[in-house]
Amino acid sequence: MKILILVGPPGSGKGTQAEFICKKFGIPQISTGDMLRAAKRAGTLDKKYLEIMDSGRLVPDEAIIELIEGRLQQPDTGGGFLLDGFPRTVPQAEALDGLLAKKGLTLNAVVQLDVPRGLLEERLVNRRTDRKTGKIYHLMYNPPPADAELEHRADDQPATVQKRQDAYEAQTAALLPYYEAKQLLRRVDGVGKPDEVTSRLEAALA
Ligand code: AP5
């Protein structure tokens, strides 16, 4: 049973690498960003959270913790899971500790994808996602096939990307010392070809 967290700044490759980790361990990917975007598409996301997301800020902890609490009750999480984009603040991490303790579960590792800020904007403004398959592409490094139904995320505009990076540095980077103190943190260099990063991740999780 594997319970893992992927942490890293916006555009560091969490979604790209999550696919490999989930396949390797046979566990579901739980991405709070994907869950919020699914609610947006379904028209069920509170308008105030939609505005927060589109402006590059973090949705309030209480709303996110409730979302995760509900998701962890689903039967597919019984054999472990990968959290992608959660927790993102120390209060979220503390809430997760409480949820896991209540279920008698233990966190195995927190993998940090380390990419310098200067490389991230270019990755994000050129990102496109196929709305049919959810697959992530990059217009130059990993071009989409001709039949993909491409979506450009509302928060992938340059000014919003900078706000998301600011939010990471101000609120999420504090998770690194939090998990380091618990001896759970494994740092992986996220610069290089996606396959090279996957090999480093594999070694970090061996
Ligand atoms: P979320 O959806 O979680 O976005 P994020 O953390 O900003 O991360 P991204 O999905 O943008 O990037 P990624 O690291 O997955 O990179 P990817 O693999 O796609 O959150 C969105 C918003 O929702 C937040 O701003 C917030 O408002 C809200 N939210 C979500 N969770 C929350 C929480 N817990 N608390 C509060 N609010 C929350 O790759 C990016 C691009 O780079 C792609 O084009 C890809 O092809 C390319 N790429 C990947 N790897 C490489 C590589 N090695 N080399 C070159 N290019 C690469």
Side-chain angles (χ1 to χ4, degrees):
M1 159 103 132
K2 281 275 183 208
I3 299 180
L4 303 169
I5 293 176
L6 253 186
V7 66
S12 54
K14 301 184 295 297
T16 302
Q17 298 298 334
E19 199 184 331
F20 148 76
I21 298 176
C22 290
K23 220 179 263 169
K24 180 175 169 72
F25 295 110
I27 53 177
Q29 172 192 6
I30 300 181
S31 156
T32 39
D34 285 349
M35 290 167 81
L36 291 166
R37 281 184 293 278
K40 175 182 171 179
R41 277 194 295 275
T44 55
L45 184 65
D46 193 317
K47 199 165 160 264
K48 63 176 183 285
Y49 300 147
L50 183 62
E51 281 166 10
I52 289 175
M53 279 183 81
D54 286 352
S55 71
R57 289 172 291 136
L58 294 186
V59 172
D61 290 335
E62 313 76 66
I64 294 290
I65 291 163
E66 201 183 311
L67 197 66
I68 282 289
E69 200 166 2
R71 182 65 183 86
L72 294 187
Q73 279 163 17
Q74 299 298 314
D76 67 328
T77 62
F81 46 88
L82 171 72
L83 295 167
D84 158 9
F86 175 89
R88 238 175 167 100
T89 64
V90 170
Q92 289 182 20
E94 289 166 348
L96 176 65
D97 288 345
L99 286 175
L100 294 179
K102 240 198 275 174
K103 290 174 179 284
L105 298 174
T106 311
L107 184 57
N108 297 99
V110 177
V111 181
Q112 175 203 0
L113 276 179
D114 193 14
V115 180
R117 181 165 173 157
L119 294 182
L120 298 169
E121 180 175 319
E122 189 266 346
R123 285 191 183 189
L124 289 175
V125 296
N126 290 299
R127 170 170 54 189
R128 297 294 183 273
T129 311
D130 185 343
R131 69 166 70 80
K132 279 181 304 186
T133 62
K135 271 202 164 288
I136 302 166
Y137 297 98
H138 186 283
L139 292 178
M140 285 167 290
Y141 310 139
N142 181 18
D147 64 344
E149 279 182 28
L150 295 183
E151 212 165 35
H152 190 196
R153 267 171 53 175
D155 59 352
D156 276 349
Q157 304 303 324
T160 319
V161 164
Q162 291 307 323
K163 284 198 193 129
R164 288 163 58 205
Q165 309 294 352
D166 290 344
Y168 178 82
E169 286 167 15
Q171 291 167 277
T172 308
L175 292 178
L176 305 177
Y178 181 87
Y179 286 120
E180 197 154 36
K182 293 176 185 283
Q183 299 186 328
L184 288 169
L185 190 71
R186 305 195 192 164
R187 182 188 162 277
V188 170
D189 182 0
V191 181
K193 294 205 176 84
D195 285 357
E196 292 166 357
V197 179
T198 301
S199 302
R200 288 179 209 139
L201 264 169
E202 199 163 17
L205 290 172

